[in-house]
Amino acid sequence: MKSVLDYLEETALRYPEKEAVYDGRRGYTFGELLEISRRVGSFLTRVCRQRSPVPVFMEKRSETIGAFFGAAYAGCFYVYMNPELPQKRIRERLEFLEADVVIAEGDLARRLKEDGFAGRVLGFGEIKEKAADLEVLGFYRLQMRPEDYLYGMFTSGSTGVPKLVAVSGGAAVEFGEEFIRTFSFGSQDVIGNQAPFDFDVSVKDLLVSVFCGARLVLIPSVMFATPPALLDYLCENQVTVLIWAASALCVVSAARGLEYRVPKEIRKIFFSGEIMPFYHLKLWREALPETEFVNLYGPTEITCNCTYYRVDGTEDGVIPIGRAFSNREVFLADEGDRRIEAVGVTGEICVGGKALSSGYYRNKKETEKRFVRNVFEEPGGGIIYRTGDMGHYDENRQLCFDGRTDHQIKRMGHRIELEEVEWELGCMEGMDRVCCLYDSRTKRLTAYYVGTASPGELRRLGRERLPAYMCPNEFIRLKFMPLNKNGKIDRGSLEQYRMREEICFGRPRFDSGSC
């Protein structure tokens, strides 16, 4: 099996002068990216233990990718530390990793030192100028194995205490090759990167670029606050592929950005992370009728994605997560550990195949809890990952997402998936985004939304579309929906608002009404 570094070297040999990555300020060719990666890797071999984590505390810039591949060259694995995280969270993660070194730059390096980091802070600007030692790198290369980790990624913590998912180089290649084969990317493509580097959507951007020789354009996060500037940036860079969180697409369409300018070079749009509101998908498809739209599904633990669905225009509001990639096994299981084959019956989504991650770093208990022996096949079957997500098959045998097990509530004697309520509300006229929270103490269901409809209008429409036990007690209209760093709705911020009974994210105006 080829490694990610094999692909980087082959692409740099094929397209040495082609720009590999651009961040709005600085770009590097594939030849330059390879040289920087080798220089960083050579330096790291002198200061890092083989197969140890290398935290990278840098802004989302072109050079940061060189730090990632440099860690791989040194026989280590990278863990991106997002500077937008609170310093307390950075400190906790470094302590968990037992990091001896951190790659940082400028003010971020000073920030670590001032916070009392006891290890060695490696200034990226300095180490990237050191000469590459190809002999040493060759020695380390001979010792590399497909099961060695390529990167580690902390989970968002939305389902409990954050954990570090460790993904091997072999799993990344297994996924990347199949992803590219399925969707026919090529060197002519320009990838518009939306996701931060600590969100696994960004891994797809990196793999497509390095494997195919596609140009990678990093989009500064600040641009999502000004959609016209974002759309100008996409058009100026002639971006052809978007692999974005669903919420990021909604930011543009909700702000009526597509009325300002349509990035007509885009030929493929992939969305994932959470349910894509049908109304916003409709706006994007109307603006780009020739573009292919694909819904992707998969938690970080399975290495990026395991299913996909090509939107064909026949959907009636529910967008399936589709079928498994050819190198994956995806199925549903009931509470008695039996496979579900029937249409319309909900079960837990389970995933198998060679591209699974290696589990949770230094957390054997959680790994064994989620990564289990496949008891659904013959004895001695392989390992599968139990996602904790629920799904069912539709009449076309397409898999549909029903929500998480921890988003299921019991109300008025009925079991309810909050995502189902959100989907029904999201189909209503005048509703742009919606998120439902349930207070088990007061037994109240609250719908927070962004849109033009009044709470009274939604209350009336809710009674028409929903049974009484699914109808929210209250609708609260927000000026904007709070999003986390990954572009998903920040349920934690809404929970804080609910508990404090005050708006705590930008103080948006709101109206409320009871159902």
Side-chain angles (χ1 to χ4, degrees), residues 276-280 282-283 316-318 418-436 445 447-468 470-476 515:
M276 179 70 178
F278 191 72
Y279 169 73
H280 289 278
K282 183 173 179 288
L283 292 177
D316 61 358
V318 177
L418 290 182
E419 283 89 350
E420 183 180 357
V421 180
E422 291 166 355
W423 179 80
E424 288 286 356
L425 296 177
C427 292
M428 296 179 185
E429 186 175 350
M431 177 76 81
D432 287 340
R433 303 299 309 281
V434 61
C435 181
C436 291
L445 178 61
Y448 298 87
Y449 75 98
V450 176
T452 58
S454 70
E457 291 173 315
L458 295 177
R459 185 166 61 249
R460 176 181 58 80
L461 291 171
R463 288 171 178 158
E464 294 175 359
R465 296 182 65 100
L466 295 167
M470 292 178 67
C471 188
N473 298 98
E474 187 176 26
F475 289 86
I476 295 181
C515 184

Side-chain angles (χ1 to χ4, degrees), residues 278-324:
F278 191 72
Y279 169 73
H280 289 278
L281 177 59
K282 183 173 179 288
L283 292 177
W284 275 94
R285 294 192 71 231
E286 288 175 349
L288 292 164
E290 302 301 317
T291 298
E292 180 180 21
F293 289 81
V294 182
N295 188 17
L296 298 171
Y297 164 79
T300 303
E301 287 86 346
I302 59 89
T303 308
C304 296
N305 302 115
C306 56
T307 70
Y308 66 95
Y309 175 78
R310 301 179 195 264
V311 177
D312 60 14
T314 62
E315 302 79 18
D316 61 358
V318 177
I319 306 167
I321 58 176
R323 303 182 188 279

